[in-house]
Amino acid sequence: MPLTKYLCQRCTNCCRWPGFVKVTELEITDISKFLGMEERDFIEKHTRLRPKRNGLALIEQPDGACIFLEGQDCRIQPVKPQQCRDFPNAWTFPGWRDICMSTEIPAVK
Ligand code: SF4
């Protein structure tokens, strides 16, 4: 049976969900370049250690939304982390269907 696929409607609800948005070394390079920042400055200003100290994640705004969420837009959309690109087709979290506005689409054969 084919797996269900979802088409992101850019509702940004997942960007407001509490949790950790992982960033890899390569993503840090790309995002820093996109923002016109030195990597070291980007790391200091926009990231934090993940709980198991096994890498970095983006910091949050005071309300828990991702630091790069601006209104309904991602400030780093062209270079956003793979974790963001993969939701909700490669991974989800408990209760995701209650907040995600994505549309179910027929699986590609
Ligand atoms: S990087 Fe962009 S897409 Fe990813 S959680 Fe932050 S605002 Fe959302």
Side-chain angles (χ1 to χ4, degrees):
M1 194 168 108
L3 291 175
T4 301
K5 288 269 184 188
Y6 294 92
L7 183 64
C8 176
Q9 299 297 310
R10 312 263 315 255
C11 71
T12 68
N13 287 347
C14 62
C15 308
R16 301 168 204 277
W17 190 263
F20 289 83
V21 179
K22 293 183 267 182
V23 276
T24 64
E25 281 183 38
L26 196 59
E27 288 168 344
I28 286 170
T29 301
D30 290 346
I31 298 168
S32 303
K33 215 178 279 176
F34 181 78
L35 294 172
M37 298 176 76
E38 293 292 329
E39 285 184 33
R40 182 189 303 194
D41 293 340
F42 171 81
I43 290 168
E44 279 177 16
K45 192 169 176 210
H46 296 304
T47 71
R48 57 186 164 157
L49 258 184
R50 301 211 305 262
K52 290 182 182 167
R53 306 178 76 82
N54 56 355
L56 296 175
L58 299 178
I59 60 168
E60 298 171 342
Q61 301 183 42
D63 66 357
C66 174
I67 193 67
F68 289 116
L69 183 64
E70 203 167 69
Q72 289 295 112
D73 292 317
C74 171
R75 278 175 52 208
I76 57 170
Q77 174 67 22
V79 290
K80 68 184 181 183
Q82 191 65 43
Q83 178 176 320
C84 307
R85 296 177 191 284
D86 286 347
F87 182 85
N89 285 305
W91 68 278
T92 57
F93 46 77
W96 74 279
R97 214 60 194 98
D98 297 334
I99 68 144
C100 180
M101 305 301 285
S102 66
T103 312
E104 203 170 317
I105 55 172
V108 180
K109 292 186 181 171

Tab-separated table of all heavy atoms in Angstrom, residues 51-73:
chain	number	residue	atom	x	y	z
A	51	PRO	N	19.649	19.109	23.711
A	51	PRO	CA	19.662	18.572	25.079
A	51	PRO	C	20.730	17.502	25.329
A	51	PRO	O	21.323	17.469	26.388
A	51	PRO	CB	18.260	17.996	25.254
A	51	PRO	CG	17.415	18.692	24.262
A	51	PRO	CD	18.307	19.048	23.112
A	52	LYS	N	20.983	16.657	24.349
A	52	LYS	CA	21.989	15.607	24.557
A	52	LYS	C	23.387	16.083	24.176
A	52	LYS	O	24.317	15.296	24.092
A	52	LYS	CB	21.617	14.356	23.760
A	52	LYS	CG	20.400	13.651	24.325
A	52	LYS	CD	20.066	12.383	23.559
A	52	LYS	CE	18.814	11.750	24.145
A	52	LYS	NZ	18.262	10.706	23.282
A	53	ARG	N	23.516	17.377	23.903
A	53	ARG	CA	24.798	17.998	23.546
A	53	ARG	C	25.414	17.344	22.307
A	53	ARG	O	26.628	17.247	22.180
A	53	ARG	CB	25.768	17.928	24.738
A	53	ARG	CG	25.174	18.516	26.005
A	53	ARG	CD	26.122	18.385	27.177
A	53	ARG	NE	27.215	19.347	27.119
A	53	ARG	CZ	27.131	20.607	27.516
A	53	ARG	NH1	25.997	21.065	27.999
A	53	ARG	NH2	28.157	21.405	27.429
A	54	ASN	N	24.550	16.865	21.417
A	54	ASN	CA	25.039	16.183	20.215
A	54	ASN	C	24.846	17.026	18.953
A	54	ASN	O	24.744	16.500	17.859
A	54	ASN	CB	24.344	14.828	20.052
A	54	ASN	CG	22.838	14.952	20.017
A	54	ASN	OD1	22.304	16.042	20.213
A	54	ASN	ND2	22.144	13.859	19.783
A	55	GLY	N	24.792	18.319	19.114
A	55	GLY	CA	24.666	19.199	17.957
A	55	GLY	C	23.923	20.460	18.339
A	55	GLY	O	23.586	20.668	19.510
A	56	LEU	N	23.689	21.296	17.333
A	56	LEU	CA	23.047	22.590	17.576
A	56	LEU	C	21.627	22.616	17.037
A	56	LEU	O	21.276	21.875	16.125
A	56	LEU	CB	23.870	23.697	16.913
A	56	LEU	CG	25.293	23.897	17.463
A	56	LEU	CD1	26.039	24.936	16.635
A	56	LEU	CD2	25.264	24.297	18.932
A	57	ALA	N	20.818	23.487	17.635
A	57	ALA	CA	19.452	23.728	17.169
A	57	ALA	C	19.235	25.231	17.143
A	57	ALA	O	19.947	25.991	17.816
A	57	ALA	CB	18.450	23.070	18.106
A	58	LEU	N	18.238	25.666	16.382
A	58	LEU	CA	17.908	27.086	16.336
A	58	LEU	C	17.281	27.506	17.663
A	58	LEU	O	16.604	26.709	18.306
A	58	LEU	CB	16.910	27.363	15.198
A	58	LEU	CG	17.391	27.014	13.790
A	58	LEU	CD1	16.282	27.301	12.779
A	58	LEU	CD2	18.660	27.792	13.439
A	59	ILE	N	17.506	28.735	18.053
A	59	ILE	CA	16.849	29.235	19.271
A	59	ILE	C	15.414	29.639	18.938
A	59	ILE	O	15.014	29.664	17.776
A	59	ILE	CB	17.616	30.410	19.914
A	59	ILE	CG1	17.720	31.588	18.951
A	59	ILE	CG2	18.982	29.960	20.395
A	59	ILE	CD1	18.202	32.868	19.620
A	60	GLU	N	14.666	29.966	19.987
A	60	GLU	CA	13.251	30.316	19.827
A	60	GLU	C	13.005	31.774	20.198
A	60	GLU	O	13.814	32.386	20.894
A	60	GLU	CB	12.404	29.436	20.753
A	60	GLU	CG	12.501	27.970	20.437
A	60	GLU	CD	11.825	27.115	21.501
A	60	GLU	OE1	11.594	27.617	22.619
A	60	GLU	OE2	11.535	25.949	21.195
A	61	GLN	N	11.877	32.266	19.765
A	61	GLN	CA	11.414	33.573	20.199
A	61	GLN	C	10.772	33.392	21.583
A	61	GLN	O	10.486	32.263	21.985
A	61	GLN	CB	10.397	34.115	19.196
A	61	GLN	CG	10.991	34.229	17.796
A	61	GLN	CD	10.033	34.831	16.794
A	61	GLN	OE1	9.326	35.790	17.088
A	61	GLN	NE2	10.022	34.280	15.598
A	62	PRO	N	10.498	34.473	22.304
A	62	PRO	CA	9.928	34.340	23.651
A	62	PRO	C	8.635	33.528	23.682
A	62	PRO	O	8.349	32.845	24.673
A	62	PRO	CB	9.673	35.794	24.077
A	62	PRO	CG	10.681	36.577	23.312
A	62	PRO	CD	10.834	35.879	21.988
A	63	ASP	N	7.856	33.553	22.609
A	63	ASP	CA	6.598	32.790	22.610
A	63	ASP	C	6.788	31.336	22.177
A	63	ASP	O	5.822	30.596	22.028
A	63	ASP	CB	5.551	33.475	21.723
A	63	ASP	CG	5.932	33.462	20.241
A	63	ASP	OD1	7.037	32.961	19.907
A	63	ASP	OD2	5.138	33.947	19.427
A	64	GLY	N	8.013	30.921	21.944
A	64	GLY	CA	8.287	29.529	21.576
A	64	GLY	C	8.395	29.284	20.086
A	64	GLY	O	8.804	28.211	19.657
A	65	ALA	N	8.046	30.284	19.282
A	65	ALA	CA	8.170	30.120	17.827
A	65	ALA	C	9.647	30.154	17.422
A	65	ALA	O	10.485	30.712	18.133
A	65	ALA	CB	7.425	31.252	17.114
A	66	CYS	N	9.932	29.553	16.294
A	66	CYS	CA	11.300	29.554	15.772
A	66	CYS	C	11.794	30.996	15.589
A	66	CYS	O	11.039	31.877	15.195
A	66	CYS	CB	11.317	28.825	14.426
A	66	CYS	SG	12.920	28.916	13.591
A	67	ILE	N	13.071	31.192	15.840
A	67	ILE	CA	13.668	32.527	15.743
A	67	ILE	C	13.534	33.112	14.327
A	67	ILE	O	13.538	34.332	14.154
A	67	ILE	CB	15.157	32.491	16.192
A	67	ILE	CG1	15.706	33.888	16.416
A	67	ILE	CG2	16.026	31.710	15.211
A	67	ILE	CD1	15.093	34.616	17.584
A	68	PHE	N	13.365	32.263	13.317
A	68	PHE	CA	13.292	32.762	11.939
A	68	PHE	C	11.871	32.901	11.402
A	68	PHE	O	11.683	33.217	10.227
A	68	PHE	CB	14.129	31.881	11.011
A	68	PHE	CG	15.594	32.069	11.258
A	68	PHE	CD1	16.374	31.025	11.722
A	68	PHE	CD2	16.186	33.303	11.064
A	68	PHE	CE1	17.718	31.208	11.983
A	68	PHE	CE2	17.531	33.504	11.330
A	68	PHE	CZ	18.297	32.454	11.787
A	69	LEU	N	10.908	32.682	12.264
A	69	LEU	CA	9.530	32.879	11.818
A	69	LEU	C	9.176	34.357	11.951
A	69	LEU	O	9.315	34.953	13.021
A	69	LEU	CB	8.572	32.032	12.659
A	69	LEU	CG	7.113	32.105	12.224
A	69	LEU	CD1	6.937	31.529	10.819
A	69	LEU	CD2	6.226	31.363	13.219
A	70	GLU	N	8.730	34.939	10.839
A	70	GLU	CA	8.361	36.359	10.830
A	70	GLU	C	6.954	36.446	10.248
A	70	GLU	O	6.786	36.285	9.034
A	70	GLU	CB	9.354	37.132	9.971
A	70	GLU	CG	9.437	38.600	10.299
A	70	GLU	CD	10.651	39.221	9.626
A	70	GLU	OE1	10.645	39.319	8.369
A	70	GLU	OE2	11.602	39.581	10.316
A	71	GLY	N	5.970	36.666	11.103
A	71	GLY	CA	4.587	36.630	10.630
A	71	GLY	C	4.273	35.237	10.124
A	71	GLY	O	4.384	34.272	10.857
A	72	GLN	N	3.934	35.134	8.847
A	72	GLN	CA	3.641	33.834	8.247
A	72	GLN	C	4.796	33.357	7.356
A	72	GLN	O	4.614	32.452	6.552
A	72	GLN	CB	2.361	33.911	7.400
A	72	GLN	CG	1.093	34.057	8.211
A	72	GLN	CD	0.805	32.839	9.089
A	72	GLN	OE1	0.869	32.926	10.315
A	72	GLN	NE2	0.494	31.710	8.486
A	73	ASP	N	5.943	33.993	7.483
A	73	ASP	CA	7.066	33.654	6.601
A	73	ASP	C	8.283	33.166	7.365
A	73	ASP	O	8.554	33.622	8.484
A	73	ASP	CB	7.484	34.877	5.772
A	73	ASP	CG	6.420	35.255	4.766
A	73	ASP	OD1	5.871	34.350	4.118
A	73	ASP	OD2	6.135	36.459	4.653
